[in-house]
Amino acid sequence: MKAYHIRLLQYEYWANSRIIEALEKLDKPPERAVLLTSHILNAQMVWFTRITNDHLVVGIWDLLPVSWLKETSDHSYQKWDSYVRDLDEAEFGKIIKYQNTKGEYFETPLGEILTHLSHHAAYHRGQIIDALKPVLSPLPATDYILWLRE
């Protein structure tokens, strides 16, 4: 389980980096693409603070400047990678109690939250690619299988 989640984090970092590199190439990237990229990174930090009971310093839909995206992604990846590498296998089943942005309370196993983060980001990267189609060619390819082949 641990090795699987470390690989997902590595893939996420790679895929997000490809999106960020594409946004940095554009003089005026579509705001929706920047907002969704910001949202992916913000969500990573929101979930990190839920899991670690840390203080939340970012809003889930805060728009980050393009110039901050790489550093934000690097910081998030380093935090998550370090956290996951320090876990024991049994901790992936640990129940995390948290409150969502609507104030509703939930309990979810840690491993499922980590899987959610990967799926959440992939969903939004698809939306980002769609927003980039009119202004960028070639589009960044972020499929998991492509990462595996590199």
Side-chain angles (χ1 to χ4, degrees):
M1 182 71 78
K2 183 177 189 171
Y4 170 76
H5 286 295
I6 289 170
R7 287 180 61 76
L8 276 184
L9 288 171
Q10 291 168 338
Y11 160 67
E12 283 302 307
Y13 180 67
W14 172 86
N16 291 338
S17 294
R18 292 181 71 113
I19 293 292
I20 292 166
E21 289 166 7
L23 294 173
E24 290 174 336
K25 289 179 185 176
L26 298 170
D27 291 331
K28 288 190 170 198
E31 185 173 336
R32 179 155 173 75
V34 179
L35 178 63
L36 289 167
T37 305
S38 299
H39 174 67
I40 290 169
L41 300 175
N42 293 339
Q44 290 174 351
M45 294 316 300
V46 167
W47 277 106
F48 191 84
T49 61
R50 287 176 182 164
I51 290 168
T52 62
N53 294 312
D54 201 358
H55 178 70
L56 181 61
V57 295
V58 65
I60 198 105
W61 285 105
D62 287 354
L63 180 64
L64 301 173
V66 173
S67 61
W68 292 12
L69 295 175
K70 182 180 181 331
E71 182 179 346
T72 302
S73 178
D74 291 349
H75 178 73
S76 177
Y77 173 70
Q78 290 164 2
K79 286 184 83 125
W80 276 109
D81 185 63
S82 176
Y83 178 79
V84 170
R85 286 180 187 278
D86 287 343
L87 293 173
D88 295 325
E89 285 292 330
E91 290 178 281
F92 291 97
K94 177 183 174 187
I95 300 298
I96 304 298
K97 297 177 182 182
Y98 60 93
Q99 190 175 1
N100 70 7
T101 56
K102 296 176 185 174
E104 301 165 320
Y105 289 90
F106 295 94
E107 297 180 9
T108 307
L110 174 59
E112 299 298 338
I113 291 170
L114 294 171
T115 300
H116 165 71
L117 279 170
S118 177
H119 289 49
H120 173 260
Y123 169 77
H124 286 303
R125 280 193 300 271
Q127 293 176 312
I128 293 164
I129 295 298
D130 191 53
L132 291 174
K133 281 181 181 177
V135 297
L136 184 66
S137 182
L139 293 165
T142 61
D143 288 347
Y144 181 78
I145 198 72
L146 297 175
W147 173 75
L148 281 176
R149 293 174 186 158
E150 282 194 6

